[in-house]
Amino acid sequence: MKALADFAMRGPYRALLLAVASSGSVLFCWIGAAVAALVTLRRGVGPGAWIVLWASLPALLLTRMAGDSTPLALLLGTFVLALVLRLSVNLALAVLASAAVGVLTGLATLVLARRLLEQLAAVFGQLLEQVQQSAGQGTEVVMQVPTQLQLAGMMGAANAILAVLCLALARYWQAALYNPGGFGSEFRALRLPVGVTAALALGAAGLTALGLEYRSWAACLLVPVTVVGFALVHARAAQRGSGRGWLTAFYALWLLFDAAKLLLVGFAVLDAWVDFRARWQRAGKDDRD
């Protein structure tokens, strides 16, 4: 992956080639988004916007031909996060902007992509019908077809998550090329202010209370909190000297169990008040003394 970043940074047209070639593909659009973010972070807003402008053309063509706006949404969402990070030099603020990216993506999908949402709802309906049939006539499967509002929120949350991942990849590339090890320490120190964390948590709780179809919108607000939770886990692993196996096991648990997701969010919210990393550092100094 570092070789890919090195190739992109050897000249503006190499970066443009990578971004344009990958932005027209659903499978590889993340490469174009990360390359555009890398150019923005390293060379500035103007060169980054130039890459995004040209890379958006194949993404727009894919949206027009296939009705899939995923590459375009990811490209623009990642560029917004990179723009915030470039101007503020604050990773926490860039991660916080992912909540806005998710909500805006969901709203844009709800307004501009009604046909896509109808098709997705029909696909889910067919899948649930097949599950009902395969379960047998004597077995009742209680499953509800997601509404368009729910699907739009899901797409917004997914785009917010992917945009953060692409930004992290771009920042990792930048550090690997020009400041080895810099991204790791920056990510492990990631923390949101108390007021911001409380607002996100309360907003997500309020949306969840409105009903099932608003839970996906609540997930958009929890993306920054979840990222902070991951940073907290990585900080603890580094402080304890745990290997990659421990982190791999944690990510597997997070993917498989909803309880692990809620627990991670809970620890991230609590960290805004408690500051676990400072406590771990003090405990480590006391142990050495």
Side-chain angles (χ1 to χ4, degrees):
M1 296 298 291
K2 181 181 176 181
L4 193 66
D6 183 60
F7 174 83
M9 296 307 293
R10 288 183 179 273
Y13 290 102
R14 294 191 179 193
L16 179 64
L17 175 64
L18 279 176
V20 171
S22 58
S23 293
S25 168
V26 176
L27 292 177
F28 300 105
C29 59
W30 56 273
I31 297 178
V35 167
L38 174 61
V39 173
T40 303
L41 294 176
R42 181 62 184 177
R43 294 178 178 163
V45 177
W50 180 71
I51 296 290
V52 170
L53 176 64
W54 286 102
S56 64
L57 296 180
L60 281 169
L61 182 62
L62 182 65
T63 302
R64 178 67 176 176
M65 300 281 294
D68 193 339
S69 59
T70 300
L72 181 62
L74 182 59
L75 179 67
L76 297 178
T78 306
F79 176 67
V80 169
L81 301 190
L83 182 64
V84 172
L85 181 55
R86 170 73 186 191
L87 296 178
S88 66
V89 199
N90 188 327
L91 183 60
L93 190 59
V95 170
L96 178 61
S98 66
V101 167
V103 172
L104 291 175
T105 300
L107 291 175
T109 303
L110 196 60
V111 173
L112 303 176
R114 286 282 186 178
R115 183 179 177 184
L116 174 62
L117 293 175
E118 291 174 357
Q119 293 174 348
L120 288 175
V123 169
F124 274 104
Q126 293 175 359
L127 289 175
L128 294 180
E129 184 178 354
Q130 292 176 1
V131 170
Q132 179 70 59
Q133 293 176 354
S134 62
Q137 296 181 353
T139 304
E140 183 179 357
V141 180
V142 181
M143 302 180 78
Q144 183 179 357
V145 178
T147 64
Q148 293 187 20
L149 180 63
Q150 188 176 358
L151 288 170
M154 292 168 59
M155 295 179 70
N159 189 56
I161 294 170
L162 291 174
V164 171
L165 291 175
C166 288
L167 177 70
L169 178 59
R171 186 67 188 89
Y172 166 77
W173 280 344
Q174 184 186 25
L177 292 175
Y178 308 107
N179 181 28
F183 175 67
S185 58
E186 182 182 25
F187 177 69
R188 289 190 293 269
L190 180 63
R191 190 163 173 263
L192 293 175
V194 174
V196 172
T197 303
L200 291 173
L202 291 174
L207 286 172
T208 302
L210 291 177
L212 180 62
E213 61 182 0
Y214 288 95
R215 290 182 183 177
S216 57
W217 294 87
C220 295
L221 300 184
L222 291 179
V223 169
V225 182
T226 302
V227 175
V228 171
F230 286 132
L232 191 63
V233 170
H234 279 261
R236 183 57 171 169
Q239 191 267 338
R240 292 174 58 89
S242 303
R244 292 184 178 179
W246 188 88
L247 288 173
T248 302
F250 168 78
Y251 277 105
L253 289 173
W254 184 84
L255 287 171
L256 294 174
F257 300 103
D258 290 339
K261 297 179 178 66
L262 294 176
L263 189 63
L264 182 69
V265 169
F267 273 113
V269 172
L270 187 60
D271 178 63
W273 280 270
V274 176
D275 193 356
F276 288 114
R277 277 158 284 208
R279 289 173 175 264
W280 295 336
Q281 290 178 359
R282 288 194 298 268
K285 291 180 180 178
D286 293 339
D287 292 340
R288 288 192 297 269
D289 294 340

